Amino acid sequence: MEAYKAYLHEISGFIPDERIYTDDLRLLTWGTDAGFYRLIPQIVVRSMNEDEVSRLLALADKHNLPVTFRAAGTSLSGQSISDSILIVAGKHWEKYSISEDLETITLQPGIIGERVNQILKPFGRKFAPDPASVKSAMVGGIVMNNASGMNCGTHANSDKMLLTARIVFADGTILDTSSEQSKEDFRKSKPGFIEKIEQLRDYVQADEPFLSRILHKYSIKNVTGLNILPLAIYRDPFDIITHLLVGSEGTLAFLSEFTMKTGKDYPFKASAMLYFNDIKEACRAVVAMKKGPVMGAELLDKKSLESVNDPTGRGLTAVLTETMADTKEELYSQIKQIEGILSAFKTAVPVKFTDKEEEYAPYWAIRSGIFPSVGGTRKPGTTTLIEDVAFHIEDLPEATADLQQLLEKHGYPDACIYGHALEGNYHFIINQSFDTREQVAQYESLMNEIKTLVVDKYDGSLKAEHGTGRNMAPFVQYEWGEKAFALMKEIKSLFDPKNLLNPGVIFNDDPHCHIRHFKPMPLTNEHVDKCIECGFCEVNCLTAGFTLSSRQRIVAQREITRIKNIPEQQERLKRLKKQYAYAGNDTCAGDGLCATSCPMNINTGHLTHDLRAELLPQDSIGYQLGMWTANHFAGVKAMLRPVLTLADTAHSIIGTRNMTALAKGLRSVSGNSIPLWTSAMPKAYTPKATGSLKSELKVVYFPSCLNQTMGTAHSSPDHTPLVDKTVALLEKAGYEVIFPSNMNKLCCGTIWESKGMPEIADRKAAELEEALYIATENGRYPVLCDQSPCLYRMRNTIKRIKLYEPAEFILTFLCDKLEFTPIKQPVAIHITCSMKKMKLEKQLIALAGLCSEKVLVPEEVGCCGFAGDKGFTHPEVNAYALRKLRPQLEKAGIEVGYSNSRTCEIGLTTNSDIPYLSIVYLVDQCTKQKGGNS
């Protein structure tokens, strides 16, 4: 431990404390990845740049301390966990540049794969590797695992697409293989290194049988062991060094930047879900299609289809098939070719290709979500394991049947087989416990027979794309033989002579390492017990990389549950609970966006609400205060208005700068217990609750509590309160506006739900439903609510009435009654969490497009983090969530933004320095009554 203390002391000189973790909570949560193993690191460091990593590695080398690297933590074989030092290269590593000819892209390792596709899509290019985790995995992990995926096979995997790299070696040395100067400096400083690479190259290329064996092994997907293909196909030592890094899983060096060829994103695509009664027949069809214009063929066996509730029929095997082309005519010609090939095979349903994205996208979403979906159907408390093998295509029908029989033989009747059949690459998933020796022995026996089947009978790959990790480390020599394994060990010794980089991964002397350190999966909360910790949720969790992610919250709660009754763990239990209070509870927005990228639709916000409810029993002061507020809601709002007026008056008198300084000072003195005032805070407002127009067209308008209380901010370009503006717009379109009775007492209940008081929340929702039902004359008229989060909860709790937020209501009911004149001024649109969950994003964007000639939807801005009142009580969450907003607005010359949530607009205004208003203001600005002058 002394070495770790010394290391900590030295790195503290250049890494700030907020990026060094040694507390129980973050060591646990960052030490957990998507695989089924767990190790707890001693130190976690959130690195920011190449220089930091170089110094971190140099010090680790000095103190002889092992280091493991982590990006997104979506690895499945135990290659991104550590019981020593874990260096994270994620959120701070997101720079990129595209070449002028669009043929290459240079990337840092922390960019999500799907983000690269979004960057390249406007140019007709794409990131070639396409693993199922591409929407969650970071490119550093994709390359270092030589991930391929559904359509890229061996012809466009990470190794084939990589050109050059910036590499940080175990001793901190940096090499840029795109720079002649850097290569010359490296050759001079490490002549023995280059000489050894050249010796190994010559050794491989001079041995014809060995060379042929290597080329044969890599003719199919293979990531078992180190990637030794570069020694067989390259002459330049720096090309060899670059490509040796691919698939090395952090065991050789750190990849700080790399340049890859971009792939062609064909403009015309079509897919078909082909169904077969027999898995062998499905495989024979795949072998035949290999010779046709097929880009991808993904097999889903009967268990895979059952996991996603496919309704086509029982016992079927599906092959999701895709073809792509430059023109529609070429696409249709290719479809006919494929249909001709398939005519020789018996399908369970007629072959039907579709070139409509809205029809084929769900197929591919199903395919991408198979692993988590199958994991979600497992018996609660069991672990989900995924294995990854490859066969030569000609062996596919028999090998598939053998694999299926082997799984049944070893007591895994519910195991599923699926994957990239066109490349002979299958994944199989099993669910089981490791609580007893018998259960562990069951898994060990299966793996031993898998080894025999894949290697001895079919000469395939034990790992095709998921990485060797710890899971397959004991079998590397068995697959490759002594000669190749000895070569891999020489490479490892050359790059990492002290064996400090990711020890235990790929090379492990323990023949049983694959059945040790299994991750516990105890039951903790019914809302999250199906979680397999895949990490797909994290791209939509606004606090991922700030405090805890949604996955990490589940990991923490599982561990708290697991050790609750272990006597020797009670002190650690207390620390975990204490540390979780802020990182897990206080900063969770509870917005539920995590569920939108979770294949099991797990909403970690529900877990948070349950935990908050536990802290607020009905006899607690907090709960009683919540009850009192609900019972005196009109009075509470009346008390809030003078506070807003006082703050606004002070703002007017002393100015924004002084008011901001005063507010920050008061918050600091109070220990952050006083909510933060910002210049975006609105004035007070009291609605008149009346409309002047009488019409056959009627709408019941329920202004949210906030909009009944808050007017506009100083910076607003329009000082008309939203309620008045909405009434004016509705009347412009010829609608009579009806307000529900006792409106000032009504609320949807979101306030109480978010605080962990669901009973009060539901009571308020019931009161609101009754009032709206009466106002709508038993559901006769539509209801408009001007706040999308409120509308979201209303739709979940109120079923007797048709409910709308502004954008959907305007598009549905007002567009044909208004004449739109788009403004030339560019505008920004913020899509709230609730709009995304209601799948109304397109409506908001479409409405903005009617109003402005240029609409910007800022990229990588999800939940704004205001989360009701968190923007006041925890403004740091709001600031972190919107950290990428302002630069995009400035670049686009945006001077005003629009949304449909008052609190979101306050946070957006605060963190962007431009006013954000309701979309209603924009519509009112650019419309007039058809045939009228208003």
Side-chain angles (χ1 to χ4, degrees):
M1 293 303 295
E2 291 302 317
Y4 287 108
K5 289 180 181 178
Y7 183 79
L8 265 177
H9 175 73
E10 292 190 56
I11 69 171
S12 295
F14 60 94
I15 305 286
D17 290 344
E18 60 265 25
R19 289 197 280 115
I20 302 174
Y21 305 152
T22 57
D23 58 281
D24 295 270
L25 180 68
R26 289 179 292 187
L27 292 180
L28 165 72
T29 54
W30 282 99
T32 302
D33 68 3
F36 47 95
Y37 303 104
R38 174 183 288 159
L39 295 173
I40 305 296
Q42 299 290 322
I43 302 168
V44 175
V45 185
R46 300 283 305 286
S47 64
M48 184 172 281
N49 54 51
E50 182 183 81
D51 179 66
E52 286 185 355
V53 172
S54 175
R55 296 170 73 179
L56 288 167
L57 289 180
L59 287 172
D61 180 72
K62 171 185 172 181
H63 293 287
N64 292 307
L65 294 174
V67 172
T68 295
F69 307 110
R70 173 187 168 124
T74 55
S75 298
L76 296 166
S77 301
Q79 60 266 62
S80 62
I81 58 175
S82 171
D83 58 4
S84 182
I85 298 165
L86 186 68
I87 297 177
V88 181
K91 293 290 186 182
H92 303 297
W93 296 79
E94 299 171 276
K95 294 178 181 176
Y96 68 90
S97 61
I98 307 172
S99 63
E100 289 187 9
D101 63 4
L102 307 174
E103 293 293 318
T104 66
I105 185 167
T106 300
L107 301 161
Q108 287 191 328
I111 307 178
I112 299 292
E114 181 66 12
R115 172 68 184 135
V116 182
N117 283 327
Q118 292 168 358
I119 293 165
L120 292 172
K121 188 174 180 63
F123 309 110
R125 309 299 293 177
K126 67 177 182 178
F127 184 62
D130 63 337
S133 60
V134 71
K135 292 183 179 180
S136 305
M138 293 175 180
V139 293
I142 291 173
V143 171
M144 292 300 269
N145 285 286
N146 196 13
S148 44
M150 292 179 274
N151 284 330
C152 68
T154 57
H155 64 281
N157 63 13
S158 300
D159 191 31
K160 289 294 196 299
M161 305 306 285
L162 183 69
L163 296 172
T164 61
R166 288 185 66 89
I167 302 165
V168 185
F169 289 85
D171 62 357
T173 299
I174 297 173
L175 167 65
D176 181 354
T177 63
S178 71
S179 164
E180 293 302 321
Q181 185 62 55
S182 179
K183 289 190 287 188
E184 184 61 28
D185 292 344
F186 188 85
R187 191 185 288 272
K188 289 178 180 177
S189 64
K190 293 184 179 290
F193 194 103
I194 298 299
E195 289 173 8
K196 184 64 176 178
I197 290 290
E198 292 173 335
Q199 288 174 10
L200 294 175
R201 174 202 65 196
D202 294 343
Y203 166 71
V204 169
Q205 296 185 12
D207 187 335
E208 186 59 37
F210 188 36
L211 177 64
S212 297
R213 177 64 180 158
I214 291 172
L215 295 176
H216 178 72
K217 288 288 289 177
Y218 287 112
S219 65
I220 61 173
K221 291 184 180 183
N222 191 319
V223 296
T224 309
L226 290 179
N227 175 22
I228 56 176
L229 181 63
L231 293 166
I233 62 175
Y234 294 108
R235 293 297 301 172
D236 186 293
F238 291 102
D239 284 339
I240 294 171
I241 291 170
T242 298
H243 288 270
L244 284 173
L245 266 289
V246 182
S248 65
E249 302 173 35
T251 62
L252 300 184
F254 176 78
L255 206 58
S256 61
E257 184 181 275
F258 44 90
T259 298
M260 301 180 76
K261 291 180 284 187
T262 59
K264 183 175 182 177
D265 185 17
Y266 286 90
F268 297 94
K269 304 171 186 176
S271 295
M273 189 73 90
L274 312 174
Y275 291 93
F276 299 86
N277 291 304
D278 175 67
I279 197 167
K280 275 192 175 183
E281 182 76 351
C283 292
R284 285 191 283 267
V286 170
V287 173
M289 287 192 293
K290 180 78 172 177
K291 301 172 185 176
V294 176
M295 293 289 192
E298 296 290 302
L299 182 137
L300 295 84
D301 76 349
K302 59 184 179 182
K303 296 297 182 182
S304 301
L305 293 175
E306 287 174 12
S307 76
V308 294
N309 301 312
D310 187 288
T312 308
R314 293 184 60 80
L316 301 179
T317 296
V319 179
L320 176 54
T321 305
E322 184 171 38
T323 186
M324 306 176 188
D326 286 313
T327 67
K328 184 162 284 192
E329 292 74 21
E330 183 184 0
L331 182 72
Y332 291 160
S333 173
Q334 290 176 184
I335 291 172
K336 286 185 177 180
Q337 282 182 257
I338 300 169
E339 289 174 340
I341 293 170
L342 290 170
S343 65
F345 301 92
K346 184 179 180 181
T347 57
V349 296
V351 175
K352 181 184 177 183
F353 275 87
T354 176
D355 60 354
K356 296 181 174 63
E357 184 176 2
E358 65 271 19
E359 292 180 2
Y360 66 68
Y363 294 158
W364 291 98
I366 287 171
R367 163 58 190 89
S368 296
I370 287 290
F371 170 47
S373 295
V374 173
T377 62
R378 75 191 189 281
K379 180 182 177 182
T382 59
T383 298
T384 296
L385 297 85
I386 182 169
E387 302 296 347
D388 169 44
V389 297
F391 303 104
H392 294 276
I393 189 71
E394 62 270 18
D395 296 323
L396 199 61
E398 296 302 322
T400 305
D402 285 350
L403 179 59
Q404 201 171 51
Q405 291 169 12
L406 194 60
L407 291 167
E408 292 179 3
K409 171 186 171 182
H410 283 272
Y412 297 99
D414 293 328
C416 77
I417 300 172
Y418 71 104
H420 321 307
L422 199 67
E423 303 299 327
N425 172 201
Y426 283 144
H427 312 310
F428 61 92
I429 303 172
I430 56 177
N431 297 319
Q432 75 165 75
S433 297
F434 292 100
D435 299 331
T436 67
R437 289 182 180 179
E438 290 76 15
Q439 290 169 335
V440 174
Q442 178 192 18
Y443 174 68
E444 183 178 20
S445 177
L446 170 69
M447 293 309 297
N448 285 333
E449 285 214 45
I450 289 290
K451 171 190 70 175
T452 303
L453 174 72
V454 174
V455 176
D456 297 341
K457 185 171 183 178
Y458 291 108
D459 194 20
S461 307
L462 286 170
K463 278 293 179 183
E465 58 180 1
H466 288 174
T468 302
R470 289 171 164 76
N471 177 234
M472 208 53 67
F475 308 114
V476 176
Q477 184 172 349
Y478 188 91
E479 176 177 330
W480 275 98
E482 291 186 13
K483 192 172 188 177
F485 188 61
L487 177 63
M488 293 177 186
K489 290 178 75 173
E490 283 197 74
I491 296 167
K492 171 67 173 175
S493 180
L494 176 62
F495 277 80
D496 182 23
K498 294 184 179 180
N499 193 30
L500 295 178
L501 298 184
N502 219 1
V505 168
I506 297 180
F507 305 95
N508 200 310
D509 294 331
D510 180 1
H512 302 294
C513 68
H514 63 304
I515 53 173
R516 304 194 196 282
H517 305 295
F518 288 121
K519 181 198 299 182
M521 301 285 277
L523 303 182
T524 186
N525 180 284
E526 64 178 358
H527 289 119
V528 300
D529 282 336
K530 288 186 176 182
C531 172
I532 61 169
E533 300 175 9
C534 64
F536 286 12
C537 57
E538 292 185 336
V539 292
N540 285 314
C541 176
L542 73 99
T543 54
F546 180 60
T547 50
L548 294 180
S549 70
S550 39
R551 167 170 61 172
Q552 290 174 324
R553 288 183 169 93
I554 295 171
V555 168
Q557 285 303 312
R558 281 177 167 163
E559 184 69 358
I560 286 170
T561 298
R562 186 184 74 84
I563 67 175
K564 191 173 293 183
N565 297 314
I566 301 177
E568 59 270 25
Q569 291 275 8
Q570 293 309 294
E571 288 303 314
R572 179 168 175 258
L573 177 64
K574 290 178 183 177
R575 293 194 300 270
L576 283 173
K577 286 184 173 181
K578 182 178 180 180
Q579 293 159 8
Y580 188 87
Y582 173 78
N585 191 350
D586 294 350
T587 58
C588 178
D591 55 74
L593 279 190
C594 50
T596 63
S597 53
C598 170
M600 297 307 299
N601 198 35
I602 293 171
N603 182 346
T604 311
H606 293 328
L607 168 66
T608 297
H609 293 157
D610 287 349
L611 294 173
R612 289 172 182 170
E614 289 177 12
L615 296 173
L616 280 175
Q618 295 192 9
D619 59 352
S620 67
I621 294 175
Y623 192 92
Q624 293 301 314
L625 180 60
M627 182 72 76
W628 185 89
T629 302
N631 293 337
H632 302 84
F633 198 51
V636 171
K637 289 193 290 185
M639 289 188 289
L640 180 60
R641 292 187 183 102
V643 176
L644 291 172
T645 298
L646 178 63
D648 182 64
T649 301
H651 183 196
S652 299
I653 294 173
I654 68 176
T656 299
R657 180 179 297 179
N658 291 333
M659 186 67 177
T660 300
L662 175 62
K664 288 182 177 179
L666 288 172
R667 178 168 169 79
S668 178
V669 169
S670 71
N672 292 337
S673 61
I674 295 178
L676 180 67
W677 176 95
T678 74
S679 60
M681 281 293 289
K683 309 167 187 175
Y685 170 71
T686 303
K688 302 177 182 64
T690 182
S692 59
L693 182 69
K694 298 299 179 183
S695 170
E696 290 295 316
L697 296 172
K698 293 179 172 60
V699 58
V700 173
Y701 174 29
F702 173 60
S704 71
C705 314
L706 288 167
N707 290 319
Q708 290 182 45
T709 311
M710 296 178 172
T712 58
H714 270 267
S715 61
S716 177
D718 188 327
H719 290 285
T720 308
L722 177 59
V723 176
D724 298 347
K725 179 64 68 174
T726 302
V727 170
L729 177 65
L730 292 169
E731 292 187 342
K732 183 196 297 186
Y735 270 83
E736 177 182 341
V737 179
I738 301 168
F739 290 93
S741 300
N742 298 314
M743 184 173 71
N744 59 346
K745 297 179 181 179
L746 301 176
C747 179
C748 66
T750 298
I751 301 168
W752 292 273
E753 180 185 50
S754 67
K755 299 299 181 185
M757 294 177 269
E759 301 87 0
I760 302 175
D762 290 344
R763 176 165 66 83
K764 294 303 291 184
E767 291 174 2
L768 176 60
E769 179 174 21
E770 190 59 32
L772 292 177
Y773 193 64
I774 294 170
T776 59
E777 295 186 9
N778 302 330
R780 180 180 177 187
Y781 309 126
V783 172
L784 169 65
C785 177
D786 53 25
Q787 183 93 349
S788 64
C790 300
L791 192 277
Y792 176 74
R793 186 166 203 281
M794 289 165 65
R795 281 189 171 178
N796 284 332
T797 56
I798 298 174
K799 303 301 180 182
R800 294 186 292 171
I801 308 162
K802 293 181 179 179
L803 303 162
Y804 299 87
E805 56 72 48
E808 188 182 17
F809 185 87
I810 293 168
L811 286 174
T812 304
F813 296 104
L814 305 191
C815 276
D816 62 337
K817 301 169 182 64
L818 297 172
E819 184 178 323
F820 285 79
T821 304
I823 59 175
K824 295 185 180 297
Q825 179 186 7
V827 300
I829 295 297
H830 176 74
I831 303 169
T832 64
C833 309
S834 45
M835 289 292 281
K836 291 177 181 177
K837 290 188 289 186
M838 292 186 290
K839 303 187 184 307
L840 295 176
E841 308 102 304
K842 292 181 179 179
Q843 283 88 331
L844 184 61
I845 296 170
L847 181 58
L850 294 175
C851 300
S852 172
E853 294 179 359
K854 184 177 181 182
V855 177
L856 172 72
V857 181
E859 298 173 334
E860 298 186 281
V861 177
C863 174
C864 71
F866 210 94
D869 62 355
K870 287 212 179 296
F872 301 130
T873 61
H874 295 86
E876 67 275 17
V877 175
N878 190 210
Y880 180 78
L882 297 178
R883 66 194 183 281
K884 296 183 179 181
L885 175 61
R886 188 180 304 182
Q888 296 181 65
L889 299 178
E890 292 174 349
K891 183 178 179 180
I894 305 291
E895 295 181 356
V896 63
Y898 297 92
S899 189
N900 56 1
S901 169
R902 192 70 188 90
T903 47
C904 296
E905 291 152 17
I906 293 172
L908 290 160
T909 300
T910 299
N911 289 283
S912 69
D913 280 345
I914 68 165
Y916 268 81
L917 299 85
S918 168
I919 189 71
V920 170
Y921 288 90
L922 179 61
V923 175
D924 185 63
Q925 177 186 348
C926 69
T927 60
K928 64 179 181 179
Q929 188 179 50
K930 275 193 175 177
N933 299 315
S934 58

